Amino acid sequence: MQIHLSDDGVPLYQQVVQQIRHRILSGQLSGGDEMPAIRTLAERLRVNPNTIARAYRELEQAGLVEKRRTRGTFVSASPTSMSAKGKREAIEPAIDQLLVLSQGLGVDAKELSQWILRRDEELQRKRGESS
């Protein structure tokens, strides 16, 4: 699993959480997939194992991964059954990036929301055509 850490001020554990969350929700990681061991991932990323343990705890609290005693940490069977808070926390970073970009381009929130709704309709149509 490739995880890229930067020194942009975002805590390392949050960077790990965001990247793993994205991989799970985008389908790159599937229910039942085994996560790297805490120590293994910490060594690979050259961070303290407590950083990875904290990231895994947060992912577990969000319902994205589950610990299995003596067997390790695995992607939850149904990560879409996340709590409302977990879903919001998963989406907010992308919303923040989109808002910063749109504000920089002079697009107001009302216009942006119309574009989002239009784009959602287009994607729904494409999914319907491919089924």
Side-chain angles (χ1 to χ4, degrees):
M1 172 184 313
Q2 289 287 67
I3 294 179
H4 304 284
L5 300 177
S6 65
D7 56 358
D8 62 359
V10 176
L12 296 176
Y13 84 94
Q14 285 182 343
Q15 292 180 51
V16 172
V17 167
Q18 289 170 355
Q19 291 180 49
I20 292 174
R21 179 186 290 138
H22 173 76
R23 284 186 173 86
I24 293 170
L25 297 177
S26 68
Q28 294 173 29
L29 291 172
S30 303
D33 285 354
E34 186 173 5
M35 300 295 296
I38 290 172
R39 195 169 305 282
T40 302
L41 187 55
E43 288 172 0
R44 193 177 313 149
L45 297 176
R46 294 187 175 110
V47 298
N48 188 306
N50 291 331
T51 299
I52 304 304
R54 183 173 180 184
Y56 278 16
R57 265 194 315 276
E58 193 163 305
L59 290 164
E60 185 177 21
Q61 290 170 350
L64 293 171
V65 301
E66 55 192 40
K67 285 185 189 173
R68 297 181 188 162
R69 275 182 92 108
T70 71
R71 295 191 49 215
T73 302
F74 295 81
V75 176
S76 295
S78 59
T80 55
S81 64
M82 292 171 61
S83 68
K85 180 183 178 200
K87 290 176 184 177
R88 188 182 69 247
E89 289 174 352
I91 292 172
E92 277 182 346
I95 292 171
D96 293 347
Q97 287 181 316
L98 184 58
L99 286 169
V100 168
L101 177 61
S102 65
Q103 290 167 357
L105 295 171
V107 177
D108 66 23
K110 184 176 180 180
E111 185 176 9
L112 178 62
S113 66
Q114 291 170 347
W115 290 356
I116 291 171
L117 292 172
R118 193 172 320 126
R119 185 67 180 140
D120 182 52
E121 290 171 4
E122 291 171 5
L123 291 172
Q124 295 295 338
R125 270 196 303 277
K126 286 181 183 178
R127 282 190 204 120
E129 291 171 2
S130 64
S131 296

